[in-house]
Amino acid sequence: MRCNTGLVSEGDTTSDVERQCGTPSDRQIIPAVAVSQGQKANAVTVENWVYGPRNGAYYKLKFIDGKLVSIDVSR
């Protein structure tokens, strides 16, 4: 995904993407769920970010534990 003067791609961190693209227009954070005795069993933090509209398109980014795992574009 092109942002400003650079590109972001899968594997980039949330801080890399925010530095390149700025603050998203919408951000949803789904924290990891703690289980018994404060331990996390296969739990991850998921973040869904939305940029747009840019040229009529919305860019939906999904991060798992701070790493970009998918970019979806919709018009």
Side-chain angles (χ1 to χ4, degrees), residues 12-72:
D12 287 350
T13 65
T14 53
S15 59
D16 292 337
V17 173
E18 193 159 20
R19 186 173 48 254
Q20 284 287 336
C21 302
T23 304
S25 54
D26 186 41
R27 180 184 308 196
Q28 176 190 28
I29 300 172
I30 304 166
V33 177
V35 293
S36 66
Q37 300 174 2
Q39 298 293 319
K40 295 179 183 175
N42 297 322
V44 296
T45 299
V46 176
E47 295 187 45
N48 296 304
W49 292 13
V50 177
Y51 286 96
R54 292 183 180 170
N55 297 323
Y58 286 91
Y59 297 84
K60 298 173 184 174
L61 285 64
K62 182 176 187 173
F63 297 87
I64 295 180
D65 279 345
K67 298 281 185 186
L68 182 59
V69 296
S70 70
I71 301 170
D72 293 317

